[in-house]
Amino acid sequence: MAAADVWLTFSADPRESASADLKASDADRDVAAAALREAYADGRLTRDEYDDRSSTALGVRSIGGFLPLLVDLFPSGPAPVPAVSTQLRSEALVTYRRDLRDARNGWLFVSGLCTAIWAATSAAAGELLFFWPVFPSLGVGIGYASTRLNAESRIEAIEDKLAESRRARRRDDDSPS
C-alpha cells in the first residue's frame, strides 16, 4: 500500500474536518489495521506500538479517530480536492447505472425472444415442448446478477478507468506538439 493511497482507501478522508465525525465502518478499521501491519513490517513501529495502535484502531468509532494513529507513519499532505473525486464518483455511478440497465434490458430481451420462439414452436407442434429458454435466460441473467451484486467493485473499476483516461489526456495536453 503506497503511503498516499492509505488516506484514499478509507470511506472518507480522515484528514478532512468535514468527515472527521462520520462513523467508521469495519472496512475502515481493516484499512487502518493493514496500514499498521505494513508500518510494523517496515520497522517503523515497535511491537508494543503496533499492539497499542492496532487495539485502538479496532475501537475507533469515527473516521477522524484514525488520523492520530497513522499521521506519523504516512505523509498526510493536503487532502484531495473533493470536487474532483465527487465528480469522478458521480460519473462512475452514471456509467454503472447505464451498464446495469443495459444488462437488465439484455436479459429481458433474450428471455422474451426465446420464450416467444418457444411459444410459437409449441403452438405449431400442438403441444408444450421442453422449456429450453431457461438456459439462455439463465446465462444472460448470471451476467446481470454479477453486474448487480458486484456494484462497488465495478464502480471502483469505472472510476479507475476514468481517472486513468483523465491522466492520459493531461499528459497528452502537456506534451509539446
Side-chain angles (χ1 to χ4, degrees):
M1 177 181 313
D5 294 340
V6 169
W7 303 111
L8 301 176
T9 53
F10 287 100
S11 61
D13 194 330
R15 299 170 294 174
E16 292 180 1
S17 59
S19 60
D21 292 331
L22 294 175
K23 293 292 185 185
S25 68
D26 287 338
D28 292 322
R29 290 181 197 87
D30 291 342
V31 167
L36 290 169
R37 275 192 304 275
E38 178 183 320
Y40 176 65
D42 290 344
R44 292 181 282 152
L45 290 175
T46 66
R47 182 62 190 198
D48 290 337
E49 288 174 314
Y50 170 73
D51 289 340
D52 289 344
R53 290 184 190 208
S54 293
S55 62
T56 303
L58 294 176
V60 168
R61 295 288 167 220
S62 64
I63 294 290
F66 296 115
L67 189 60
L69 298 174
L70 302 173
V71 73
D72 62 335
L73 300 172
F74 299 95
S76 66
V81 178
V84 173
S85 61
T86 303
Q87 181 183 10
L88 197 62
R89 180 72 175 187
S90 65
E91 288 179 31
L93 283 170
V94 167
T95 302
Y96 168 75
R97 287 181 184 130
R98 184 187 65 232
D99 291 349
L100 183 64
R101 182 197 64 225
D102 291 348
R104 181 200 64 219
N105 290 346
W107 175 56
L108 291 173
F109 176 76
V110 167
S111 298
L113 179 64
C114 290
T115 302
I117 293 170
W118 170 81
T121 55
S122 289
E127 63 179 298
L128 287 179
L129 301 174
F130 175 73
F131 190 71
W132 58 266
V134 71
F135 298 112
S137 181
L138 279 174
V140 178
I142 288 171
Y144 169 61
S146 172
T147 301
R148 188 164 190 87
L149 295 174
N150 297 320
E152 193 56 39
S153 63
R154 288 183 180 264
I155 292 168
E156 289 172 4
I158 293 168
E159 283 179 335
D160 291 344
K161 286 180 185 177
L162 289 171
E164 181 56 37
S165 69
R166 286 182 182 179
R167 282 191 293 271
R169 199 173 322 129
R170 263 186 266 150
R171 280 193 304 266
D172 291 346
D173 290 346
D174 292 342
S175 65
S177 298

